[in-house]
Amino acid sequence: MHPSQLQIKDYTYELPDERIARYPLAERDLSKLLIYKEGNISEDVYRNLPEHLPADCMLVFNNTKVIEARILFHKSTGSIIEIFCLEPAAGVELTQAMMSQGSVCWTCLVGGAGKWKQQFLEKQLSTPKGDVLLKAEKRKQEQGSFEIEFSWDNDHFTFAELLHFAGVLPLPPYLQRQTEAADYDRYQTVYARQEGSVAAPTAGLHFTPLLLQQLQERGIKTQFVTLHVGAGTFQPVKSETMEQHNMHREWIEITTDTIEDLLKQLPNNIIAVGTTSLRSIESLYWMGVKAIINPNAGIEELEVQQWDAYDLPNQKTSAKEALQALLDWMKRNQLNQLICHTQVLIAPGYKARIASAIITNFHQPNSTLLLLVAALIGNDWKKVYDHAMANNFRFLSYGDGSLLWVRESSV
């Protein structure tokens, strides 16, 4: 069956409200860890993760950093208009947008848009770098969102700095609470570096500097990719079948050094830390397939679309051939880094090309993230989630997690 015909009602479960972790544990690596391999389930905590990994494996982390994407503008009437920055407006690359000075356009959600009658919303900021007046102006309305132009009167500030002073860290809506001071530390991974996400790659929240050191001491390799998580990751699938669902697209940034390391690692296990890391490395495979099909393709033509993994020819291309083709394409185009979108949908019917396993949290019912888990371990996703529910695992972003080894029979 083509994944477009999958019915989302087959990928749901009952998630009681009290099983959603509203707050993280005090110590990151004491979260519970469910280990699934070849149909068997066991339990431990993240602190002991190195004991459950082969010494010749590589962990791939997403080093994106969550930005303070919610900006609250207070009107003289006392009402509040919230602007939630989703991504730069079309044609603007994310890093470029974050480093903009003076003005920049973003696609945003607007809470209280009906109260926005004047041309500009204004927010006066006093910062250690000096005072600055931030303005927001609606440029156009799109389906479910607005294009907003931000401008400010002090060119010493980049937009990234302005967000830091003016914005609020966005927590997932299902936590149903306001952002608190502790979240600014706990809703970031300890290795977060590249600003641009509106949600954390939550599988990485369980890792501590000591745990990373222990992995290194065991000879376990680590590598980093960047996928900037979009708000679409929280959107449930509302259509009956996947055919009507539009998979959200996200920015990825991956260097040639990372791709070369993945290529060298291929004979051994590659473990994605989080669904974002897995989507990133699996996207590399399909970009390589596209580079084989059309060696003269531009970067936009290599971007992975929603159904590419099921509709492209050359499905039997090996991971080694695909990654090498992508490296060759980058060399011809004099690139040492890929910066592009991916819209890859990983659902039952998908065969993992790069990843041997995934470390991931427990995801919402009716979500594309749950489809991804089902793609990797087949119908045993029900067994895993039933076990987690029956054994007091905590769910969603601040909850516990799992190490899931890919089942060949899941394809």
Side-chain angles (χ1 to χ4, degrees):
M1 179 193 301
H2 193 281
S4 62
Q5 301 307 307
L6 289 172
Q7 295 192 328
I8 196 60
K9 68 178 178 63
D10 295 329
Y11 299 91
T12 190
Y13 65 97
E14 191 67 32
L15 177 58
D17 189 65
E18 64 270 15
R19 301 306 296 275
I20 299 174
R22 307 286 178 203
Y23 292 89
L25 297 182
E27 296 185 63
R28 292 175 183 261
D29 57 1
L30 286 184
S31 296
K32 293 174 71 173
L33 178 68
L34 181 152
I35 301 117
Y36 168 89
K37 191 169 188 179
E38 297 176 354
N40 299 311
I41 293 174
S42 57
E43 293 184 22
D44 207 333
V45 294
Y46 272 82
R47 186 167 291 178
N48 299 327
L49 174 65
E51 299 172 15
H52 300 282
L53 300 175
D56 60 355
C57 74
M58 173 187 285
L59 296 186
V60 181
F61 296 87
N62 180 7
N63 65 3
T64 189
K65 189 171 186 178
V66 185
I67 59 175
E68 291 95 337
R70 295 174 56 227
I71 308 175
L72 305 179
F73 289 87
H74 296 260
K75 298 184 64 178
S76 57
T77 60
S79 61
I80 296 175
I81 296 175
E82 177 184 321
I83 299 180
F84 187 178
C85 299
L86 296 178
E87 64 177 0
V92 183
E93 187 268 311
L94 182 59
T95 303
Q96 174 189 345
M98 294 297 288
M99 298 307 294
S100 293
Q101 294 174 290
S103 67
V104 67
C105 288
W106 277 65
T107 298
C108 305
L109 300 177
V110 178
K115 305 173 188 175
W116 188 347
K117 306 297 185 184
Q118 68 270 52
Q119 181 180 3
F120 294 103
L121 296 176
E122 296 185 351
K123 191 177 185 73
Q124 183 69 48
L125 303 170
S126 295
T127 81
K129 285 190 64 175
D131 295 340
V132 58
L133 177 65
L134 174 64
K135 293 183 177 182
E137 180 181 9
K138 285 183 286 189
R139 304 296 293 179
K140 61 182 179 181
Q141 185 169 358
E142 300 166 336
Q143 187 175 3
S145 64
F146 293 84
E147 184 177 305
I148 306 294
E149 181 177 6
F150 296 98
S151 58
W152 52 100
D153 62 356
N154 188 332
D155 288 344
H156 290 103
F157 289 85
T158 64
F159 188 63
E161 291 172 314
L162 276 180
L163 285 178
H164 178 66
F165 292 119
V168 178
L169 197 76
L171 290 182
Y174 48 65
L175 292 187
Q176 297 179 346
R177 65 174 178 83
Q178 295 297 313
T179 304
E180 301 176 13
D183 294 311
Y184 283 84
D185 172 61
R186 288 297 273 109
Y187 197 59
Q188 301 278 13
T189 63
V190 297
Y191 49 80
R193 296 292 181 271
Q194 306 297 328
E195 292 185 314
S197 280
V198 300
T202 55
L205 297 179
H206 306 287
F207 288 79
T208 63
L210 179 59
L211 180 52
L212 292 171
Q213 180 183 333
Q214 290 171 336
L215 291 168
Q216 184 178 19
E217 289 171 354
R218 277 182 56 89
I220 295 170
K221 306 179 190 71
T222 57
Q223 190 50 268
F224 294 89
V225 297
T226 303
L227 183 144
H228 294 301
V229 189
T233 193
F234 298 123
Q235 291 178 354
V237 179
K238 296 179 179 179
S239 56
E240 287 188 15
T241 67
M242 291 306 298
E243 189 172 19
Q244 289 84 38
H245 180 76
N246 185 38
M247 182 67 179
H248 58 285
R249 67 175 195 166
E250 295 162 309
W251 282 100
I252 55 173
E253 301 178 19
I254 302 178
T255 65
T256 50
D257 287 346
T258 297
I259 300 172
E260 287 171 352
D261 281 355
L262 290 170
L263 188 58
K264 293 174 187 173
Q265 180 65 19
L266 278 176
N268 299 313
N269 290 300
I270 297 173
I271 301 171
V273 179
T275 59
T276 59
S277 295
L278 188 132
R279 294 202 300 273
S280 297
I281 61 177
E282 292 294 313
S283 292
L284 295 177
Y285 172 86
W286 297 107
M287 294 179 75
V289 168
K290 287 190 167 189
I292 292 172
I293 295 170
N294 182 8
N296 298 316
I299 185 64
E300 295 83 4
E301 295 169 279
L302 291 194
E303 290 187 340
V304 184
Q305 308 302 318
Q306 178 164 332
W307 303 114
D308 280 350
Y310 313 98
D311 297 342
L312 281 174
N314 295 25
Q315 293 277 336
K316 294 185 178 180
T317 300
S318 70
K320 180 178 180 180
E321 290 169 331
L323 292 184
Q324 188 60 59
L326 183 56
L327 285 171
D328 293 342
W329 180 91
M330 293 176 72
K331 184 176 180 180
R332 289 195 303 273
N333 288 274
Q334 299 180 323
L335 295 174
N336 59 16
Q337 185 178 36
L338 283 172
I339 302 177
C340 61
H341 286 106
T342 182
Q343 199 183 8
V344 65
L345 173 66
I346 297 177
Y350 184 89
K351 177 184 176 182
R353 273 24 190 232
I354 307 291
S356 311
I358 185 172
I359 295 171
T360 189
N361 285 22
F362 295 97
H363 305 294
Q364 295 182 87
N366 302 323
S367 66
T368 57
L369 303 182
L370 190 56
L371 287 175
L372 182 150
V373 170
L376 301 183
I377 65 172
N379 281 330
D380 273 1
W381 75 266
K382 298 175 184 177
K383 179 178 175 180
V384 165
Y385 275 64
D386 285 347
H387 181 98
M389 194 65 68
N391 290 274
N392 297 315
F393 278 71
R394 303 162 74 244
F395 281 62
L396 307 186
S397 295
Y398 271 151
D400 300 313
S402 59
L403 166 61
L404 309 175
W405 290 90
V406 174
R407 286 197 75 169
E408 290 299 322
S409 58
S410 68
V411 179

